[in-house]
Amino acid sequence: MYDNGIEPALGVWWKPAHRAEKVWIAIAFAWCMVLFAMMPLWHLKGGQNPTGIRHRVEPADFEARTNEFIEEYRVGEEAGLPIVEPPPGAEVYLVGKMWQWTPILRLQEGATYRLHMSSLDVNHGFNLYPFNINFQVIPGYDYALDVTPTEAGEFRIICNEFCGIGHHVMVGRVEVVPATEGAARAGGAE
Amino acid sequence: MNAFRTCPTTGLSIHRDADKLIKAHAVAATVSLLIGGIAAFLVLLTRWQAIHLLDAVWFYRILTVHGMSMLIFFIIFFEMAVLLFAGPILLNSRVPAPKVAWGGFGLMVAGAVLVEWTMWTGKADVLFTSYVPLKATPNFYLGVILFAVGALVTVGIFFASLVVAKREKTYEGSVPLVTFGAITAGIIAVITLLHGAAIYIPTWLWSMGMMNVDPQIYRLVWWGLGHSSQQINVAAMVSIWYLLATLTVGGVVLNQKISRTAFVLYILFISMASAHHLLVDPGMGAAWKVWNTSYFMYMAVLASMIHGFTVPAGIELGMRLRGYSQGVFGWLRKAPWGDPGFSSMIFSIVVFGFVGGITGVTFGTEQINIIAHNSLRIPGHFHATVVSGTAMAFMGLTYYVIPLIFRKRIAFFKLARIQPYLFAIGMLIFSLSMTFAGSFGVPRRHWDISFSGAPFDVQYSPAVDIVMAVMAIGGLMGILGGAIYILVTVWSVFFGKPLPAGEEEKYADSIPQGLITKPWTQIPDTDRDPETPWKIGPVPGTAVLVAVFFLAFVTYYFANWALLSFVWKVG
């Protein structure tokens, strides 16, 4: 008797499996273990992990901290937004609110910064163009990630979480200057 | 009047209440599909920048309508019909408490109407996910609550029908595999709907200013509804694969133990997949993310990979037992490709597995999600699972339900034969293009990717324009396929010609082939040797197919790790 899907299974159906089924299950199981192992392994050896440092924060407190940060490292203004150039290793703050990213960041290639992100109103999405790096930005949470720009150039921060009618104009800017130029600036400032 | 009628095609006793309830749920599902489909058309023509049809307000409004109508109303109405089919009908039993069942249906309809009303009147422009603190009018949340309670009632009726069938001995042995799969879908539905209650009730109170809801907690619990509801789909869809395999080609079940255990793995682990949406969120740590996104070390993925083998192997074996045993793929060449039930099932299996499954596991990997989250890669993934997988399987099933339950012939049967091809190929082009555009970082849920009015310019690669145009063409093909489906089903049900009992042979031009040849009755009744029960014939064709699948999976998965390694260092 062959079983099918629409008729009741009669008698004891707990029987040894088809040989091909056994082989496939063994392969699939081994693959599942590879899939599982890759994530902890990347935490140990890989350069891109979404863990970071995470805290609850009152939106007003986060805004105040961002304003202090802007005042401390402000070097100019563009499109009504402050341009901020923090030194390598600095704590960097980025605020998302309807519908802008503040401030404009000027970073140095190859240097590492601790980037804090949060929102003052609703959920926003951090998308770094053209590299396609994405993080969720949630009001009430400070998400701090150590980032190292690996390439100099012009970058954009595109909001990719729906945040209301002006969602599509929510574009921010990041500029990464070459390592040599950055070092010269730092030297000049001293 | 007798409470039962005997199905002249299958010999099953069909309870008249089950008949009517299935019809009502199927009609509600089709109405939802029509609304969602019109919304799909408008959204598609807006995202295609060359046309850019709607303004921003209406784009997000219609996108909300599209998500709710398709992912909640269409899918869950249809699933309730599937449960009522897999329970009372396959078990020859009655529907216990039919009035309560109608009450559940009434609540679902009332909830759906309320939600549609709030969305179309612009009081709920919050998209499908309604992430707090974006706020809709309280009636939006109330409507979802009513709908969920109604669905819970219907799931309860399904479970009660199992008890009644057992007690009244309407079947012998263990429930059929399809019913077993439907039970897993029912259990996952309970888990899902309880999550829905746990988040929509507080959010409803919040919308009236009576309490606070934390935005991160909202995302955590909401996805217990949002993703788990897609897992009801998976369990229901796989059950339909087994069902259609038997009806269309006499597909056999290689081993009940293996297939049923795989369904149990779904119940145990698949709901953990809601973590897929929270991988780049600040609220959770690495251990939580790795453990949950992997559904307990990928045991739910194992389950899908098992079904992905046993269903085609059962089809292959069914065909071989019926004499189509030439070479490795003779069974596939001789398969009834003109039967819309069969072609739908095959497309559902292939696109769900190759596109939906592989992209889903890859994007659901903790770190790889960094280069996928909220980009078009995500809707690319779930249009391959929910649309090309689940909806395609539901469509294939409908071509059998219309003659079996409605006792009507299929109208425009020639159109019905090509419908699965049009829909599957269109949706395949659509999902692949979305996935590709998303790998350039193109965001999902975005009105204008030319960013006009933004303070800084963004210029995507010219390739993106081409890919988005191809996406639009694929989407239009899919919508045309969906429209044909609605035309055929509505016309058949309301204006179709009846199918007289026992006269299937006369109507080869208007009912699917499986109902005429009844292939499941043609399987030779040979007993297997109890010493070597696994010796039920080789399945070389399926072995080749799963090997190709496995290679595609491994390649795509590691290619994404390579892509990830090129971006900025983040940690």
Side-chain angles (χ1 to χ4, degrees):
Chain A
M1 268 292 286
Y2 288 94
D3 290 354
N4 66 37
I6 59 173
E7 285 166 330
L10 299 174
V12 178
W13 44 260
W14 193 268
K15 292 175 185 157
H18 191 282
R19 197 158 278 159
E21 270 183 313
K22 285 186 186 165
V23 173
W24 174 244
I25 291 170
I27 294 170
F29 184 82
W31 175 237
C32 288
M33 294 305 112
V34 172
L35 293 175
F36 185 63
M38 277 306 289
M39 290 187 282
L41 209 63
W42 200 265
H43 272 286
L44 293 174
K45 302 279 184 190
Q48 296 81 13
N49 286 291
T51 309
I53 300 165
R54 308 162 326 273
H55 295 290
R56 278 181 196 266
V57 66
E58 281 300 317
D61 294 346
F62 192 86
E63 188 178 24
R65 239 177 282 167
T66 307
N67 287 337
E68 277 170 39
F69 161 73
I70 291 172
E71 286 319 307
E72 192 170 357
Y73 301 116
R74 184 182 189 124
V75 293
E77 196 178 290
E78 189 189 342
L81 296 169
I83 304 174
V84 176
E85 187 174 354
E91 306 273 330
V92 174
Y93 289 84
L94 179 70
V95 157
K97 61 183 177 192
M98 292 175 181
W99 292 286
Q100 61 180 216
W101 295 103
T102 322
I104 296 166
L105 297 172
R106 185 178 288 158
L107 307 177
Q108 215 181 94
E109 182 192 355
T112 301
Y113 304 85
R114 179 156 294 166
L115 174 64
H116 295 259
M117 293 180 285
S118 191
S119 160
L120 301 186
D121 36 50
V122 297
N123 274 260
H124 294 289
F126 172 96
N127 166 257
L128 187 78
Y129 165 91
F131 260 130
N132 196 16
I133 299 173
N134 303 281
F135 292 98
Q136 189 77 18
V137 178
I138 302 181
Y141 290 82
D142 175 358
Y143 198 176
L145 293 151
D146 289 338
V147 300
T148 314
T150 48
E151 212 174 282
E154 270 290 320
F155 297 87
R156 298 284 179 265
I157 304 168
I158 296 169
C159 179
N160 67 4
E161 185 62 79
F162 173 65
C163 57
I165 196 69
H167 174 44
H168 64 280
V169 300
M170 189 164 163
V171 178
R173 188 179 154 228
V174 178
E175 185 188 334
V176 177
V177 296
T180 45
E181 196 185 314
R185 281 162 188 264
E190 275 161 20
Chain B
M1 194 168 85
N2 193 342
F4 287 89
R5 68 174 172 88
T6 304
C7 174
T9 313
T10 57
L12 291 163
S13 325
I14 295 176
H15 191 235
R16 289 183 197 279
D17 283 318
D19 234 6
K20 285 184 198 143
L21 280 162
I22 289 173
K23 287 179 187 174
H25 284 87
V27 169
T30 308
V31 172
S32 310
L33 181 67
L34 177 64
I35 298 170
I38 292 169
F41 182 69
L42 298 172
V43 168
L44 184 75
L45 289 190
T46 307
R47 285 227 62 162
W48 189 7
Q49 296 275 153
I51 295 187
H52 209 55
L53 184 66
L54 302 175
D55 64 24
V57 172
W58 276 95
F59 172 74
Y60 295 117
R61 188 166 296 161
I62 295 297
L63 189 54
T64 312
V65 170
H66 176 60
M68 293 302 292
S69 304
M70 293 300 206
L71 282 172
I72 299 287
F73 304 143
F74 160 62
I75 289 269
I76 295 184
F77 271 125
F78 202 101
E79 273 155 0
M80 295 304 120
V82 169
L83 291 187
L84 291 164
F85 179 84
I89 302 242
L90 283 184
L91 299 179
N92 298 305
S93 122
R94 63 190 171 88
V95 176
K99 282 188 184 143
V100 178
W102 283 109
F105 176 71
L107 275 178
M108 288 174 76
V109 171
V113 169
L114 191 55
V115 170
E116 293 286 351
W117 176 257
T118 56
M119 291 188 300
W120 284 95
T121 52
K123 295 188 180 103
D125 296 336
V126 290
L127 301 194
F128 174 56
T129 45
S130 56
Y131 289 139
V132 164
L134 281 177
K135 195 181 278 182
T137 185
N139 279 342
F140 172 79
Y141 308 106
L142 179 64
V144 179
I145 294 166
L146 292 178
F147 184 86
V149 172
L152 264 177
V153 169
T154 308
V155 175
I157 292 287
F158 163 70
F159 286 132
S161 76
L162 300 175
V163 177
V164 165
K166 185 91 195 162
R167 193 176 291 162
E168 297 178 359
K169 297 192 170 54
T170 59
Y171 66 99
E172 277 178 59
S174 309
V175 295
L177 179 59
V178 171
T179 309
F180 191 89
I183 294 172
T184 63
I187 294 171
I188 297 169
V190 172
I191 299 171
T192 301
L193 294 167
L194 291 180
H195 277 99
I199 196 60
Y200 274 102
I201 293 171
T203 307
W204 180 44
L205 298 175
W206 164 78
S207 71
M208 296 183 292
M210 292 160 72
M211 66 178 283
N212 276 325
V213 176
D214 180 275
Q216 178 73 77
I217 304 287
Y218 179 91
R219 282 171 59 78
L220 174 68
V221 185
W222 191 87
W223 280 111
L225 164 83
H227 203 102
S228 305
S229 63
Q230 309 319 312
Q231 317 296 11
I232 317 173
N233 302 344
V234 173
M237 173 190 72
V238 174
S239 308
I240 293 171
W241 290 351
Y242 283 111
L243 176 64
L244 285 174
T246 302
L247 291 177
T248 58
V249 293
V252 299
V253 174
L254 272 72
N255 185 296
Q256 298 276 7
K257 172 180 74 175
I258 298 293
S259 293
R260 289 176 195 235
T261 306
F263 274 121
V264 173
L265 290 176
Y266 279 158
I267 299 179
L268 294 177
F269 305 119
I270 206 164
S271 293
M272 295 162 82
S274 35
H276 289 178
H277 302 268
L278 311 169
L279 293 174
V280 293
D281 272 28
M284 299 82 181
W288 187 92
K289 288 174 179 174
V290 168
W291 184 249
N292 285 286
T293 199
S294 75
Y295 337 72
F296 184 75
M297 302 192 285
Y298 289 99
M299 286 303 110
V301 172
L302 180 65
S304 287
M305 287 177 79
I306 291 173
H307 292 305
F309 177 88
T310 59
V311 174
I315 293 170
E316 177 172 3
L317 212 53
M319 289 293 288
R320 286 184 187 278
L321 285 166
R322 286 166 47 242
Y324 302 102
S325 51
Q326 248 189 342
V328 178
F329 288 117
W331 58 281
L332 211 49
R333 275 198 304 277
K334 299 281 186 195
W337 290 99
D339 177 342
F342 178 81
S343 55
S344 299
M345 169 187 65
I346 294 294
F347 290 134
S348 172
I349 296 171
V350 170
V351 182
F352 180 88
F354 275 84
V355 186
I358 291 176
T359 57
V361 173
T362 305
F363 302 161
T365 303
E366 189 202 6
Q367 294 92 344
I368 293 176
N369 193 253
I370 294 173
I371 54 169
H373 181 73
N374 274 358
S375 73
L376 271 184
R377 300 183 95 183
I378 304 303
H381 151 71
F382 69 70
H383 281 83
T385 54
V386 184
V387 187
S388 308
T390 307
M392 183 88 265
F394 287 0
M395 288 174 176
L397 179 63
T398 313
Y399 295 119
Y400 276 76
V401 165
I402 289 172
L404 285 174
I405 302 290
F406 291 86
R407 300 305 302 172
K408 293 282 176 74
R409 284 139 66 188
I410 311 276
F412 316 116
F413 194 57
K414 280 192 183 134
L415 270 182
R417 282 172 193 268
I418 59 163
Q419 186 271 334
Y421 292 85
L422 202 55
F423 188 74
I425 294 169
M427 291 314 298
L428 179 64
I429 294 171
F430 180 74
S431 340
L432 288 176
S433 320
M434 266 191 166
T435 310
F436 195 59
S439 57
F440 286 94
V442 177
R444 64 185 292 196
R445 297 174 154 186
H446 203 281
W447 176 62
D448 182 15
I449 56 163
S450 71
F451 303 94
S452 56
F456 309 104
D457 68 305
V458 179
Q459 203 66 57
Y460 285 114
S461 144
V464 168
D465 288 334
I466 298 166
V467 173
M468 296 295 278
V470 174
M471 174 194 90
I473 292 162
L476 288 174
M477 266 178 83
I479 289 169
L480 182 62
I484 293 175
Y485 168 80
I486 292 175
L487 172 74
V488 166
T489 54
V490 171
W491 199 277
S492 309
V493 167
F494 292 104
F495 315 107
K497 300 194 182 89
L499 175 64
E503 293 186 14
E504 283 84 359
E505 283 81 359
K506 285 192 197 163
Y507 298 113
D509 61 342
S510 56
I511 58 171
Q513 192 181 328
L515 293 178
I516 298 161
T517 56
K518 298 180 191 171
W520 67 94
T521 62
Q522 299 171 0
I523 303 292
D525 196 18
T526 43
D527 253 320
R528 278 173 270 159
D529 182 359
E531 296 295 311
T532 53
W534 57 82
K535 284 195 174 163
I536 54 173
V539 282
T542 304
V544 172
L545 294 176
V546 294
V548 173
F549 168 78
F550 188 67
L551 276 178
F553 198 166
V554 173
T555 309
Y556 189 77
Y557 180 73
F558 284 110
N560 271 277
W561 281 112
L563 275 177
L564 176 69
S565 71
F566 297 141
V567 306
W568 287 9
K569 296 265 180 295
V570 181

